[in-house]
Amino acid sequence: MALVDYSDSDGSASEDDATKLGNSEGFQSNLLKRKRSLEPNQQPALPPLPDSFHDLYASNARASKHDDPSLHGGRQRQIPHIEGQWPTHVYIEWRPSRPESESLSNTLEKAKASLPPHVRLESLLKNDLGADLALHISLSRTLMLATHERQTFTDALGAAVGTSGVTPFTVTLNKLHWVANYENNRWFLVLKVAKSEGNGLTELLVASNTVAKRFGQPSLYTLQNQPSTPMLAGGKLATGGLNEATRRAPRNSGVEKPKLPLALGEDMSDHFHVSIGWTLERPHEISRSATMGDDDCEKLELEVHGIKVKVGNGIVVMPLKSRIVTAAHECVCDDALVHLKSYKYSSVDKSLISRYILKHYWNGFVELLPLWLAPNMVTLLGFFCILANVILLEIFIPDLVGPAPSWLYYSFALGLWMYSTMDNVDGKQARRTGQSSGLGELFDHGIDSLNCTLASLCETAAMGLGSSPKGVFTALIPCLPMFFSTWETYHTHTLYLGYFNGPTEGLIIACSMMVLSGYYGPQIWTQPITDWIDRPEIFGSASVVDLWFPLIFGTFLFIHLPACVLNVVKARREKGLPVAPVFTEWIPIIIFTGSCAAWLYSPYSTLMQENRLVLFCLTMSFVFGRMTTKIILAHLTRQPFPLWTIMLAPLIGGAIIGNLPLLGFSAVTPAVELWYLRAYFVFAVVVYFRWALLVINSICNYLGINCLTITPKPAPNQKVNGGATGSGKTHKR
């Protein structure tokens, strides 16, 4: 359907104009023909077409240059067809996903049900054939450009958007309102954009208005030398002055009253909206019940990666410049932290063991915890169980071979089980104490990331693998599924756990192996499997250690990784976003994995020979923890995916040091390599904790919460943070 199709008025060719009204011919069809729609089970299960395809066929332009009121429901054009003039519109396009489209349709049906029977509310969500239409947020009024101005205008706008500093952001649609057009002869049901300091709508509007003014065109949401022309809600100018506009939008009509416009450069977030339906009835003919409450529509989020300019029948796409988040403060400024206030945790756990067995255990265990114990402290106590076992490991079994005292292996199993228990009940404790917040997810997954190389280090010792290639593999392999699960969560905003997953079934297997090592000794894993299971035709002479690598790596490569990729691809397609760019986000884990392998497995490195795997894993705990926690932070604050952390630089350096002979240099001595690793460890600890404290303190200060203690609940009507109502900082309940 055409977005700008030679509009019939100033207020019918932009978001506040033609897309609200849809294509003129389409509206005539809606008025004169029976509306047809496909049944849900008739919808083809095909992925959405890319935006570039829609842009090629964005208009059904007519060859006629003459006004024909019959094409517009009898309405007369205020902007006539003039050869050589091109109607232009700047906007942000939104193509709702299938679930979002269904939610919008439900919202529209609720609105129709609330109206009197004689009021006909037309949909802007679907065309005559039942296909979903693109929705949008306007950044300009209808602009009429001369032929020679088209290219100059788009070039100027592109430059203005580029210098605005606006990067991809997310807006929330959460309120229903009625707004009128300029002539007050049509009224629209719109979803308003929630006011937020975290989006760049105002900056983009300023850029659009500035360029429009340069070409002598009207501005949106500003008067600019038009003091006698008032502005109605939704950015539409009335034609008869403020008094007339006020008179035609009666009290209690359910329609927003006219507002004086904001000055150029002021925050205009609450002016933006997306239209989903329209009617020809006047405001006084719409009952007050037509005003929808906040509970009548679901909150929807729109990811903005660029703007579009429609000039005549052509579309120009202007993507926003993405930035790589490398400095910690870029994720903890107020513009980023504002998203934490609307954060909601989402997870899907299909494990049958979790659902039918462990759930009851966790629900019972959390009742044993005192209410004064903060949820993040619960998580931290679980991590201390792992750290305690790493210390015991270094004391009693530093070579990771053993055998060690039986109680040590039992301690490994108990510590890992208690870590898992605390990791699963911390969220329940948060709900018990009313302390749920985005910090909880960040803290929880941050600890999980630190634990990746430490718990697996205990598993390495329990199997007696030592500082061998298989020991290195066992200690570091958990980093791969952890990274890709975090990557998946960043794009889907949901943590997915399958029917057989590492945090449940994998952990139970690991604990069982530690218990068996305590009872039989770690040597059982190198004995032929046929000593225990008399099926030589299946196992031959292989031991568990022999099958360990293909079993673990094959599970990751052929089950876990494809599931993550499929979920990310599905999420991107539902949002109408390109899929290919997400694979560049694998750069950090490729560097991490490649550098670790190049350093440790190098024939010139002495780390495995000198039994330095414990120190290496402790160092990698902080490096990997920083890398994945930054992704979680970016997920929570809706920031660009972090492709780099400075903590990877020494790892690359270690890989180079371990392979100097391949570059034509002499190999370093074992002492030099060891001191380099020790320095790397100190560097990793300092950088990690400095960054972690910065992030935690910033989030706590912004949300008005405590990290490791229970946040007191404010008294009714009590202002938080010294009563500074403008700071946006309140206690998280």
Side-chain angles (χ1 to χ4, degrees), residues 6-12 21 24 66-81 181 183 185-186:
Y6 294 97
S7 63
D8 60 341
S9 73
D10 242 7
S12 62
L21 306 180
S24 299
H66 302 287
D67 295 328
D68 186 353
S70 65
L71 295 175
H72 315 289
R75 300 188 298 275
Q76 295 289 337
R77 293 183 179 275
Q78 291 193 1
I79 301 178
H81 288 301
N181 66 349
E183 295 77 35
N185 58 16
R186 269 168 290 165

Side-chain angles (χ1 to χ4, degrees), residues 472 476 595-603 605 607-608 612-613 616:
V472 170
L476 297 178
S595 297
C596 286
W599 191 357
L600 292 176
Y601 290 128
S602 170
S605 173
L607 292 183
M608 282 199 292
R612 305 301 180 186
L613 184 56
F616 187 87

Side-chain angles (χ1 to χ4, degrees), residues 661-721:
L662 297 179
L663 303 176
F665 300 96
S666 300
V668 297
T669 64
V672 170
E673 189 174 20
L674 175 59
W675 278 107
Y676 182 87
L677 180 59
R678 288 171 175 170
Y680 188 10
F681 173 73
V682 173
F683 171 78
V685 171
V686 172
V687 172
Y688 181 88
F689 279 107
R690 180 180 177 277
W691 175 79
L693 290 174
L694 170 65
V695 171
I696 291 173
N697 289 335
S698 298
I699 294 176
C700 288
N701 292 335
Y702 186 82
L703 296 179
I705 61 176
N706 301 329
C707 179
L708 298 177
T709 58
I710 296 293
T711 304
K713 295 183 179 180
N717 301 323
Q718 175 184 348
K719 293 181 180 179
V720 187
N721 295 330

Side-chain angles (χ1 to χ4, degrees), residues 72-91:
H72 315 289
R75 300 188 298 275
Q76 295 289 337
R77 293 183 179 275
Q78 291 193 1
I79 301 178
H81 288 301
I82 300 177
E83 188 172 2
Q85 288 196 357
W86 301 80
T88 301
H89 183 225
V90 184
Y91 61 99

Side-chain angles (χ1 to χ4, degrees), residues 48-180:
L49 293 170
D51 287 346
S52 56
F53 179 87
H54 291 288
D55 294 343
L56 291 174
Y57 303 94
S59 176
N60 55 344
R62 294 183 297 273
S64 173
K65 298 186 178 66
H66 302 287
D67 295 328
D68 186 353
S70 65
L71 295 175
H72 315 289
R75 300 188 298 275
Q76 295 289 337
R77 293 183 179 275
Q78 291 193 1
I79 301 178
H81 288 301
I82 300 177
E83 188 172 2
Q85 288 196 357
W86 301 80
T88 301
H89 183 225
V90 184
Y91 61 99
I92 294 170
E93 186 175 78
W94 178 35
R95 293 190 178 274
S97 64
R98 181 67 61 84
E100 290 170 338
S101 180
E102 293 174 355
S103 175
L104 291 172
S105 297
N106 292 336
T107 298
L108 193 62
E109 291 303 318
K110 289 182 181 180
K112 289 181 179 179
S114 70
L115 296 173
H118 70 280
V119 177
R120 181 173 179 177
L121 181 61
E122 302 289 347
S123 172
L124 294 177
L125 303 177
K126 297 181 182 295
N127 63 14
D128 294 345
L129 299 178
D132 292 334
L133 295 174
L135 306 177
H136 64 279
I137 300 173
S138 275
L139 296 175
S140 78
R141 291 175 58 186
T142 301
L143 313 176
M144 300 302 294
L145 300 178
T147 300
H148 67 277
E149 293 176 327
R150 293 179 297 169
Q151 188 62 48
T152 307
F153 176 85
T154 55
D155 291 344
L157 182 61
V161 171
T163 58
S164 67
V166 179
T167 56
F169 57 91
T170 302
V171 296
T172 301
L173 307 168
N174 65 345
K175 292 183 179 179
L176 283 169
H177 286 273
W178 289 101
V179 299

